[in-house]
Amino acid sequence: MSEITKEMTIGEILSIKPSCVPVLLEMGMHCLGCPASQAESIEEAAMVHGMDVDALIKQINDIEG
């Protein structure tokens, strides 16, 4: 499976690892299906939500499946 990077869009991440949805929702990213999520990188979204992108990426990559 591909490793998730902070340059990937939320849409790409969801297609590669849909099992990360609960983590993203728990972190406050509730607009996973909105048009911006298809073009916005996880790094950009983390900045908007005041999150540590490196910690978020690690958490997503640690998820099985």
Side-chain angles (χ1 to χ4, degrees), residues 7 9 14 35 41 57-58 65:
E7 292 81 16
T9 65
L14 293 175
S41 73
I57 294 299
K58 181 181 179 337

Side-chain angles (χ1 to χ4, degrees), residues 2-3 6-7 12 16 19-20 24-26 30 35-38 49-50 57 60 62-63:
S2 298
E3 182 167 328
K6 60 186 172 186
E7 292 81 16
E12 289 173 318
I16 293 169
S19 57
C20 76
L24 295 174
L25 291 174
E26 184 179 306
H30 296 245
S37 74
Q38 300 304 306
H49 291 279
I57 294 299
I60 292 171
D62 287 346
I63 296 170

